[in-house]
Amino acid sequence: RDLSPERLEFPDVDTDIPRDKRADAINYLLGKYGKENVSQIITFGEYKVKNTIKAVLSKYNCPIAEANKITKSLPDMVDGKAVTFDLLEDRHNNPDNYDSWEDIDLKTLDKAWEVLENVFNTYPQVYDALKHISGCYNNTGIHAGGVVICNKPISHHGQIMVGSETAVLPVLQFEMGDLDFFGFLKIDVLGLKTLDTIKYTMDLAHLGYDWYDSENYNDPDVYRMLRDGDTTDVFQMAKYSPTKMIADFNVNNIEGLCAVNAGNRPGPLEKDKTTNKSMVDLFIEHVKTNTPEDWGNKDVNEILKNTYGCLWYQENCIMLGRVMAGYSMGGADSRIRKVLGKKKVKMIPEIKNEFIYGKKSLFDADHNVIGISEEDSEY
């Protein structure tokens, strides 16, 4: 995927290192590429519904406990969508536009609007603030791990900020999502406390990097320990959900552990509103019966055989695009894997026309899909 000639953007390079070595890693980058060619990345915090309300109430002597009670009663997400003030007000003013929404989601939005109306009655300034500053930038920060490397001084291509109290390097004034557009190479130099702990433990046990780099993942005692729930301080496996999944998946090899790590995320854990089952529930059912889902197509079954017929990994999506729709590997990567992975919901109707009909789409002025073109898709 990273070296595909069809790939339009730089690969995603992640480098996790011990926290106490992060400064050493960044100094290495400075020495290798030059201090003018390396920078960190800015982040922008927005005024959202909750922090806007708190900011205004704090100016009008509202008790903190009351402000916290108000904001805790408001949802952050509904049906996978961020709950913004524009969404709440539009639902109140134009209820007919939401006929296709689930009743439970509409009740959540309506209850949130009732809370806001009570606040407006006491503090009318909150409405003005939500109407005019919600969505505006509130503060700036530094990306936790992102570092930009350029073959020329970065200041020749974008504004940089120096003198930040928390940044080791100058800070480029482009958000992470804008870096591809401007052609910058971004790598993650992320300091993990877990790696500090592992290194300290290795030192105590007099273990070197030969032990750390071992690719022997077959010790049955390790998997027995994990299945028994002894996951305390095991990276990404210590909480209740992955610990339970290890037992439910009957993990006895590294592939099973990878499946747990992939499944312990909001999407696979979310319950379907019709069946009340999640992707994880379906995976467990097939593990217990040791019978993969039969999709009635030998090519699809072959692609998904190692995940019990469940669509589990991004690579599954790429291969299904190849087999079912005739995409090239690069096309499947950019048109399926990336769209799903980056949650580009607006592009799904366009991809659907490609996938099913092999055709380009027709768009309106706002680039919304309004039909199917007679022209064949280039992918």
Side-chain angles (χ1 to χ4, degrees), residues 134-176:
S134 186
C136 295
Y137 286 149
N138 176 21
N139 56 60
T140 62
I142 310 297
H143 190 278
V147 174
V148 170
I149 301 173
C150 189
N151 61 355
K152 296 178 182 178
I154 292 176
S155 60
H156 292 184
H157 304 282
Q159 296 295 321
I160 59 171
M161 176 177 69
V162 296
S164 168
E165 294 180 0
T166 57
V168 181
L169 303 170
V171 181
L172 179 62
Q173 305 293 286
F174 294 143
E175 285 189 287
M176 186 176 68

Side-chain angles (χ1 to χ4, degrees), residues 129-360:
L130 287 171
K131 189 71 176 175
H132 294 102
I133 71 171
S134 186
C136 295
Y137 286 149
N138 176 21
N139 56 60
T140 62
I142 310 297
H143 190 278
V147 174
V148 170
I149 301 173
C150 189
N151 61 355
K152 296 178 182 178
I154 292 176
S155 60
H156 292 184
H157 304 282
Q159 296 295 321
I160 59 171
M161 176 177 69
V162 296
S164 168
E165 294 180 0
T166 57
V168 181
L169 303 170
V171 181
L172 179 62
Q173 305 293 286
F174 294 143
E175 285 189 287
M176 186 176 68
D178 298 326
L179 296 176
D180 280 347
F181 177 82
F182 289 103
F184 283 108
L185 172 66
K186 186 270 298 182
I187 69 171
D188 273 339
V189 184
L190 187 62
L192 291 182
K193 186 178 179 181
T194 301
L195 292 177
D196 289 288
T197 304
I198 291 173
K199 181 63 170 66
Y200 180 58
T201 305
M202 288 170 57
D203 291 343
L204 289 176
H206 304 292
L207 296 171
Y209 279 101
D210 288 343
W211 171 85
Y212 184 82
D213 288 338
S214 168
E215 295 186 4
N216 178 13
Y217 306 130
N218 301 317
D219 189 338
D221 291 337
V222 172
Y223 298 107
R224 187 178 303 112
M225 175 196 77
L226 295 173
R227 290 196 303 272
D228 289 343
D230 295 332
T231 59
T232 302
D233 288 334
V234 177
F235 184 56
Q236 294 191 343
M237 298 292 153
K239 294 185 178 180
Y240 172 79
S241 177
T243 300
K244 184 175 185 300
M245 286 167 61
I246 288 170
D248 290 339
F249 285 20
N250 192 29
V251 170
N252 54 29
N253 53 38
I254 190 67
E255 286 78 15
L257 207 56
C258 291
V260 170
N261 197 30
N264 185 37
R265 301 171 193 275
L269 290 168
E270 183 178 353
K271 300 283 186 180
D272 181 82
K273 293 174 182 176
T274 302
T275 64
N276 198 35
K277 291 182 179 181
S278 67
M279 288 175 61
V280 170
D281 293 330
L282 296 175
F283 195 97
I284 292 170
E285 288 180 6
H286 290 297
V287 168
K288 288 182 176 178
T289 60
N290 196 29
T291 54
E293 178 79 29
D294 183 3
W295 292 95
N297 182 293
K298 63 181 181 62
D299 293 325
V300 174
N301 288 342
E302 179 65 22
I303 291 170
L304 301 179
K305 68 178 182 180
N306 292 330
T307 55
Y308 295 92
C310 298
L311 192 59
W312 208 247
Y313 299 111
Q314 292 185 353
E315 285 76 11
N316 296 149
C317 298
I318 293 173
M319 294 309 299
L320 287 176
R322 290 274 294 120
V323 169
M324 299 178 69
Y327 283 100
S328 66
M329 290 294 285
D333 179 60
S334 63
R335 305 296 285 176
I336 299 178
R337 192 274 310 170
K338 187 175 180 180
V339 170
L340 295 177
K342 301 294 185 181
K343 300 180 177 64
K344 297 187 175 185
V345 177
K346 188 176 180 179
M347 286 185 66
I348 289 179
E350 177 185 351
I351 305 304
K352 179 180 178 181
N353 289 340
E354 285 181 5
F355 196 102
I356 297 176
Y357 305 107
K359 299 292 184 181
K360 292 184 177 181

